[in-house]
Amino acid sequence: MGLQIFATDPDAKPKPKPETDFSNDFTYSFRSGMVVNKKPVSLATWRVTTGDPTVADAVAQLLGGSAEEYDPTKEQNLHVLTDATTVEVVIDGSRAIEDKLILWGRTGPIHECDGVSFLSPPERRGEPCGCPKLMTERKELARQGIGPAPAINVTFRLAHDYELGKGRFIASAWSLAEVIHEVKDALDDVDGEALCRLTLEHVSYVNKQGVKVDFRKPVIEVIGSYNDAITDER
C-alpha cells in the first residue's frame, strides 16, 4: 500500500510545484557595470550577459564587441562589452517595469517597499514601511547601507533583433527612480508595444566642494508605437 504518513496530517503534505513558465525566461541581461578585482566598475557602454553562445554572438554582431567567458560559475557565464551607449528596445507597457525599494541582507531582501508601504513579507504588505519622507534622507540611508535603494527591473526586446528573446535591465540609480513614473505613463500612452531608447547618458559637473563629478546614468526614452515604426520601414 505504501506510506500513509499524511493520512493523519494532510496539511503536512507538500503542495505540487507549479509548472514553470519558460516564456518569461530572460535570454540576456543589460548591465552598466561589472566587477573587476572584487571592485565594482562603471562602464561607458552597455555590457550584455547571457548563457547562450548564439545570443552572445548575435549581440556582438548587432552592438559591437565580442563574446567572452566572464564567470563560469554563473548561469549567464558569457558577456559582451559592446560599443553601444544607446540601444533601441521594445517595451510592452508599464507592466514591463517593476519598480520598488529594496535593502538586501545576506540571504535576500530584508526590507522591500514602494517608499510608503511594505511590499513584503505578505503578512506586512500595505503596512507603513517607516522610510523617511525626504528624498535626501532616503538617499543617505541607502548610501550608508541601512536603508533601501531603488530596484528597477525593465523587461524588453531588442528592436533590431526582436526574435532574440526577452532581455532585462536592473537599475539601482536614484536618477531613474525619480522619473520612472513618467516613463510608465508614457508607455501607457502608447497603443501596444513601444519603441524606446535605452541610454547610458554621460553626466559631468563640478559640485559645491569644487570636486568634478563624472558618471553615467541610465535613461529610458519612449519614442512611440513599435508597430507603427516597423510599418513605416516596410
Side-chain angles (χ1 to χ4, degrees), residues 5 9 25 32 43 57 82 85 95 99 102 117 120 126-128 133 151 163 174 190 220 222:
I5 57 177
D9 189 6
D25 283 353
S32 59
L43 300 173
D57 289 339
T82 76
T85 58
R95 61 183 174 273
D99 51 323
I102 296 181
S117 305
S120 69
E127 294 181 8
K133 294 181 180 180
E163 300 305 324
W174 285 102
V190 176
I220 302 173
V222 179

Side-chain angles (χ1 to χ4, degrees), residues 102-116:
I102 296 181
L103 174 61
W104 293 94
R106 291 183 178 180
T107 59
I110 57 177
H111 180 116
E112 188 173 354
C113 71
D114 61 9
V116 176

Side-chain angles (χ1 to χ4, degrees), residues 2-234:
L3 289 174
Q4 297 293 311
I5 57 177
F6 300 116
T8 58
D9 189 6
D11 292 337
K13 187 175 182 178
K15 304 296 187 295
K17 293 183 178 180
E19 294 185 5
T20 302
D21 182 6
F22 290 101
S23 64
N24 290 325
D25 283 353
F26 299 105
T27 306
Y28 50 88
S29 298
F30 269 51
R31 304 177 184 275
S32 59
M34 61 186 294
V35 176
V36 178
N37 296 326
K38 298 183 179 180
K39 293 183 179 181
V41 176
S42 180
L43 300 173
T45 57
W46 288 111
R47 170 176 170 253
V48 181
T49 61
T50 181
D52 189 331
T54 303
V55 171
D57 289 339
V59 168
Q61 184 174 357
L62 181 65
L63 304 178
S66 58
E68 302 174 343
E69 185 172 65
Y70 173 68
D71 188 343
T73 66
K74 294 184 178 180
E75 184 177 354
Q76 291 192 338
N77 62 315
L78 304 172
H79 76 167
V80 179
L81 298 174
T82 76
D83 299 329
T85 58
T86 298
V87 182
E88 289 192 345
V89 299
V90 182
I91 302 178
D92 191 8
S94 62
R95 61 183 174 273
I97 297 180
E98 180 185 35
D99 51 323
K100 52 189 174 183
L101 300 175
I102 296 181
L103 174 61
W104 293 94
R106 291 183 178 180
T107 59
I110 57 177
H111 180 116
E112 188 173 354
C113 71
D114 61 9
V116 176
S117 305
F118 279 113
L119 298 174
S120 69
E123 62 270 17
R124 298 200 65 185
R125 185 179 179 89
E127 294 181 8
C129 61
C131 287
K133 294 181 180 180
L134 298 181
M135 186 67 70
T136 53
E137 294 178 2
R138 292 180 189 270
K139 292 180 179 180
E140 179 58 23
L141 291 181
R143 186 190 67 80
Q144 294 178 25
I146 56 177
I152 302 170
N153 191 332
V154 184
T155 304
F156 59 87
R157 290 177 181 265
L158 292 174
H160 296 289
D161 199 341
Y162 188 93
E163 300 305 324
L164 197 60
K166 290 182 181 179
R168 66 176 176 178
F169 170 56
I170 299 177
S172 59
W174 285 102
S175 59
L176 183 57
E178 290 168 355
V179 298
I180 197 64
H181 64 285
E182 297 176 3
V183 175
K184 294 170 74 173
D185 287 345
L187 287 170
D188 285 340
D189 285 340
V190 176
D191 184 15
E193 295 178 309
L195 179 65
C196 306
R197 290 191 185 97
L198 185 60
T199 302
L200 286 177
E201 183 178 291
H202 183 216
V203 178
S204 181
Y205 65 92
V206 177
N207 64 19
K208 295 179 180 179
Q209 290 72 39
V211 178
K212 184 178 181 181
V213 178
D214 219 358
F215 66 97
R216 292 187 179 265
K217 67 176 183 179
V219 176
I220 302 173
E221 177 189 359
V222 179
I223 302 172
S225 168
Y226 174 64
N227 288 330
D228 290 348
I230 57 178
T231 300
D232 292 341
E233 291 177 356
R234 293 171 182 169

